[in-house]
Amino acid sequence: MLQHLLLSAAIGDICGSVYEHRRYATKRYADVDLFHPYSRFTDDTVCTFACAEALLNGLDMAASLRTWCLQYPKAGYGGGFMVWFNNPEAKAYGSYGNGAAMRCSSAGWLATTHEECIEMATRTAMPTHNHPEGIKGAVATALTIFYLKTGHDKAFIKENVLREYYPDWAETTYDEIHPHYHFRSSCQETVPPSILSFIKSESYADCITRAIALGGDADTLATIAGPMAYAHFRVIDAPLLELAKVVLPQSMWNLSEAFDERCQIL
């Protein structure tokens, strides 16, 4: 039985948080310390839990995002998103940033059909990231998780996600992009590398380490890739779960448990 579904994203965020910054950024796999003392959760985790609560309890998605982000106002949000959540009258602003993909994993876990997954993922994106590429990033990410949790393999993901949504990336590999990849914030330049990190990986920890070692938006890459790895490998290393227990507030643990319970019932 899968547990700690939301934590599979949060742990990626926590482990990658330090390496997003130029001072600690690395492209060497061996230099990635998943237990760095300065690790913390960021906006990626906050927004993941906000979207999960909205889907779980039938809440308004925009209102849930604002509530959670105002509770953690210094989590490292982008400028445009920060303006949005501080203004209750603000509308979606057509973003195609990778924020759409980092917060949508709950759609992949909760959905019971392909169509429902697309609908849920779209709902997580629409309050802010309503550009077609923003929606596509959320849908491709959530579908990857959905396909993997329902038993499909890496080859299926390559053909039915990468080739369908990002055909320009379908014939490349992690090893080919690693040397020249750098910080990129769009969905179309973050989701495919995250999927390639998963395809290359041999375990959950290996996956988030590879995502971080791309040398880009490390926490977001690992937040996106982490749930994919967990859906496939079905194991998160116990020390990483302990790290999450130390870093995350009790409110997130409570929601994580409620979310797990609902997903097991479905």
Side-chain angles (χ1 to χ4, degrees):
M1 183 174 68
L2 289 175
Q3 294 180 307
H4 313 302
L5 303 176
L6 298 180
L7 300 189
S8 64
I11 291 169
D13 177 39
I14 293 166
C15 294
S17 61
V18 172
Y19 298 98
E20 180 184 10
H21 304 289
R22 185 173 299 176
R23 180 178 178 185
Y24 295 105
T26 180
K27 292 185 73 68
R28 281 174 45 85
Y29 182 99
D31 289 341
V32 176
D33 179 4
L34 298 182
F35 300 92
H36 196 288
Y38 295 156
S39 294
R40 64 185 184 94
F41 71 86
T42 78
D43 58 318
D44 295 29
T45 293
V46 177
C47 292
T48 293
F49 276 79
C51 291
E53 184 174 54
L55 292 178
L56 187 66
N57 296 325
L59 306 178
D60 180 80
M61 188 65 63
S64 186
L65 281 164
R66 287 191 170 103
T67 297
W68 277 82
C69 294
L70 288 169
Q71 186 176 355
Y72 301 99
K74 298 182 179 180
Y77 308 96
F81 184 76
M82 187 177 294
V83 169
W84 176 84
F85 76 70
N86 278 289
N87 179 4
E89 302 302 319
K91 306 299 182 183
Y93 49 93
S95 176
Y96 53 84
N98 56 25
M102 57 80 160
R103 71 195 195 201
C104 69
S105 57
S106 56
W109 292 121
L110 271 173
T112 57
T113 67
H114 173 274
E115 293 75 18
E116 186 179 36
C117 184
I118 293 173
E119 186 272 331
M120 286 184 172
T122 301
R123 283 169 56 194
T124 68
M126 286 300 290
T128 53
H129 292 61
N130 58 332
H131 187 283
E133 289 292 346
I135 296 169
K136 183 169 76 173
V139 169
T141 299
L143 278 177
T144 300
I145 297 164
F146 174 77
Y147 287 146
L148 291 166
K149 80 169 188 180
T150 53
H152 294 289
D153 61 13
K154 292 179 179 181
F156 185 92
I157 299 304
K158 181 176 180 179
E159 291 301 313
N160 292 274
V161 180
L162 271 183
R163 194 172 301 282
E164 179 171 349
Y165 290 92
Y166 301 103
D168 291 346
W169 294 80
E171 296 304 326
T172 191
T173 67
Y174 176 91
D175 291 336
E176 288 170 344
I177 69 168
H178 179 258
H180 56 81
Y181 189 80
H182 57 276
F183 192 103
R184 297 165 182 176
S185 59
S186 69
C187 273
Q188 55 268 41
E189 294 181 298
T190 307
V191 174
S194 300
I195 295 173
L196 291 174
S197 297
F198 157 66
I199 290 173
K200 175 72 173 179
S201 68
E202 298 180 358
S203 68
Y204 176 84
D206 181 46
C207 178
I208 61 174
T209 302
R210 290 187 183 280
I212 293 166
L214 280 173
D217 191 355
D219 58 333
T220 298
L221 288 159
T223 300
I224 296 169
M228 299 175 184
Y230 186 41
H232 179 71
F233 294 112
R234 309 288 169 127
V235 175
I236 298 177
D237 313 67
L240 290 173
L241 290 172
E242 287 300 314
L243 173 65
K245 189 172 184 178
V246 170
V247 172
L248 297 178
Q250 187 61 46
S251 60
M252 291 186 183
W253 276 91
N254 293 343
L255 179 57
S256 173
E257 291 175 355
F259 189 85
D260 288 347
E261 183 176 353
R262 172 70 65 82
C263 287
Q264 296 305 324
I265 292 172
L266 292 174

